[in-house]
Amino acid sequence: MAVSSAPGKVYLFGEHAVVYGEPAVPCAIERRATVEVSARSDGRLRVDAGDLTLDGFTVEYGGDGAPDVDVPQSLVQAATGYVDGAVAQARDAADAPDVGFDVAIESAIPLGAGLGSSAAVAVAGIDAATRELGVELSTEELAERAYRVEREVQSGEASRADTFCSAMGGAVRVEGDDCRQLDAPNLPFVIGYDGGAGDTGELVASVRALREEYDFAADTVEAVGDLVRRGERALDEGDIAELGRLMDVNHGLLSALGVSSRSLDAMVWAAREAGARGAKLTGAGGGGCIVALDESEASRTALGYTPGCVESFRAELDFEGVRREDG
Amino acid sequence: MAVSSAPGKVYLFGEHAVVYGEPAVPCAIERRATVEVSARSDGRLRVDAGDLTLDGFTVEYGGDGAPDVDVPQSLVQAATGYVDGAVAQARDAADAPDVGFDVAIESAIPLGAGLGSSAAVAVAGIDAATRELGVELSTEELAERAYRVEREVQSGEASRADTFCSAMGGAVRVEGDDCRQLDAPNLPFVIGYDGGAGDTGELVASVRALREEYDFAADTVEAVGDLVRRGERALDEGDIAELGRLMDVNHGLLSALGVSSRSLDAMVWAAREAGARGAKLTGAGGGGCIVALDESEASRTALGYTPGCVESFRAELDFEGVRREDG
């Protein structure tokens, strides 16, 4: 048996603009997905995702048929697509195409909230499954293989950001296929979640359409890129106040690109008015999560009273990426 | 006795960016200030502003002393500074330096809400007072003289936009000192007011500081200018849907410049979710009003249920500027 965990992430800066070659800065957060893997001799795959969602489910399936499960297909896919992919990567890395696994997933990262839960499951799953087969992959290779899983499940639309960030931990910089770690101070993230999620594909397409239609929207995307470069400097200098100011502006630019929502704006203002250094939506937008920078408990408290916010929690920057949990 | 009225205004596009030489498009709205003027022989000025604010007050004063009034000085200034200035302009235009007036002001434009109530009072006041003295000014000269009043009261910080728009009516284009009227379709404005007002001077200064500190903020200001140019085309084509889309983006760019607020965002989303073609803050921001484009009653109804919105009303584009009300 092998157990690994990997963190979720927020975007400190740069989502959406990263699609057009601008840099982005995702940051790992202290909320993890944990995957426990045991090899089994019959070649079958059993996935227990009891703590992955509110409803919890267990699926057992092999190469020969549909899973024996009666839950919404989207949920099954969410959990099992990434596990399937992680298992395939582990079989490939260990040159053991026929090995089966019992897989148990627990995640403290809200599913489908744009916090990188799927990347964390893929990273932790590959790490645990390869170690169970006696193979140790470098973190870089883990990130690469987890990226392939996301790309496959998401039909070619994945970014390297989530998987690289989850594997490496800390603050990272992504620009096209170039990913690297950044020096960063401790970042006191507070996250607010509206319980929903925008449709990432639709949101990316709507920004693309806006950008093609209007030069000023293309300029807005470039402004995000310039902001990210300033943000890297502020990170390097450990300037939390400046990071907060830049987050506020980044949120406005994302609003201009049409990807904010009523609940996201309400949460962003709740955090700011509670004294956060800054706040912005994180991820694709249209719903989902905001991230605020706040050393105090005030933002989290304020979010607890904000209509539209169903969950809020503190999750500081996690300097650790994928982690062995089996001692 | 002479009675004139003049409309308030909203910014369809371009506030703040106009300070840096970009074009802006203010639009007159069907909410008016009405000023009634009668000459009096004793050289004194009596101002009755009973319907100007919730509290209403009357002030009587001459050149020889302080007004006989016990209300907050800011309110007195708001009402009487512009009336004083209008009277001075009328005395100058009619070459009658010693004439006194009874002035009664009624305004359906919320005071201090960024809807151009002071410009409307100045325009209507000059028109009524000059006509009372037997002088007919051209609309352009009225606009020019009203601008001088605003500039004086606001210590040199006035824009020509409000007074030109109020005098001429309709949609106008302002770029630096160049003001002209635009062809426009009927615009079904709905206005939401949060009962507050940002500090215009502070907000302008904060945008200036942001723009000087960050290249991407300067680019954001330029993006607003490009958006306004697209908006002029949409106005010319009578494309309401496009105007709405551009208003949404303009609001986001203003948010990026840091001049939106929690209540402004809440009102903007209420209108959008009720089906408005688009919605944005109007004016300096930081509080005050939003303007939405909506042919239906839905936005106004939704605003009525929006926490933070204290007043909402329909006020379509007013094609008429300053108007004689004494038959």
Side-chain angles (χ1 to χ4, degrees), chain A residues 60 69 74 91 115 119 135 137 147-148 163 165 170 192 197 217 237-238 263 273 286 293-294 321 324:
Chain A
E60 184 158 359
V69 70
S74 63
R91 284 169 173 155
L115 297 177
V135 174
L137 301 182
Y147 165 63
R148 286 186 216 154
T163 42
C165 184
E237 291 163 358
S263 53
E273 292 188 352
L293 270 193
D294 191 353
R324 234 177 123 142

Side-chain angles (χ1 to χ4, degrees), chain A residues 210 213-217 219-220 222-224 226-228 230 242 245-246 248-249 251-253 255-258 260-263 265-266 269-270 272-273 302 306-307, chain B residues 210 213-217 219-220 222-224 226-228 230 242 245-246 248-249 251-253 255-258 260-263 265-266 269-270 272-273 302 306-307:
Chain A
L210 201 72
E213 174 73 18
Y214 302 118
D215 285 348
F216 57 80
D219 293 342
T220 301
E222 277 179 41
V224 173
D226 292 338
L227 180 149
V228 175
R230 274 303 277 258
E242 172 84 346
R245 280 192 295 272
L246 293 172
D248 285 347
V249 180
H251 181 76
L253 294 172
S255 302
L257 294 174
S260 191
S261 76
R262 187 178 200 164
S263 53
D265 277 3
W269 280 111
R272 288 176 187 162
E273 292 188 352
T306 303
Chain B
L210 201 72
E213 174 73 19
Y214 302 119
D215 285 347
F216 57 81
D219 294 342
T220 301
E222 277 179 40
V224 172
D226 292 338
L227 180 149
V228 176
R230 274 302 277 258
E242 172 83 347
R245 280 191 295 273
L246 294 172
D248 284 348
V249 179
H251 180 77
L253 294 172
S255 301
L257 294 174
S260 191
S261 76
R262 186 179 201 164
S263 52
D265 277 3
W269 280 110
R272 288 176 187 162
E273 291 189 352
T306 303

Side-chain angles (χ1 to χ4, degrees), chain B residues 91-115:
Chain B
R91 284 170 173 155
D92 179 63
D95 199 16
D98 300 321
V99 67
F101 292 101
D102 284 326
V103 179
I105 309 171
E106 281 180 34
S107 177
I109 311 164
L111 197 74
L115 298 177

Side-chain angles (χ1 to χ4, degrees), chain B residues 135-225:
Chain B
V135 175
E136 294 267 354
L137 300 181
S138 69
T139 314
E140 286 73 16
E141 186 173 350
L142 262 182
E144 171 63 28
R145 287 185 177 273
Y147 165 63
R148 286 186 216 154
V149 171
E150 284 225 309
R151 198 178 49 187
E152 211 160 286
V153 176
Q154 296 163 20
S155 315
E157 286 293 328
S159 134
R160 287 179 182 275
D162 287 20
T163 40
F164 184 80
C165 185
S166 184
M168 307 297 287
V172 307
R173 180 191 202 274
V174 180
E175 186 172 359
D177 279 346
D178 177 52
C179 302
R180 52 201 166 83
Q181 279 192 293
L182 297 175
D183 283 335
N186 184 36
L187 296 174
F189 292 129
V190 173
I191 291 164
Y193 178 36
D194 71 2
D199 179 318
T200 302
E202 249 175 49
L203 289 155
V204 168
S206 75
V207 171
R208 186 179 301 278
L210 201 72
R211 188 171 164 275
E212 281 169 8
E213 174 73 19
Y214 302 119
D215 285 347
F216 57 81
D219 294 342
T220 301
V221 168
E222 277 179 40
V224 172

Side-chain angles (χ1 to χ4, degrees), chain A residues 169-181:
Chain A
V172 308
R173 179 190 202 275
V174 180
E175 187 172 357
D177 279 346
D178 177 53
C179 302
R180 51 201 166 81
Q181 280 192 293

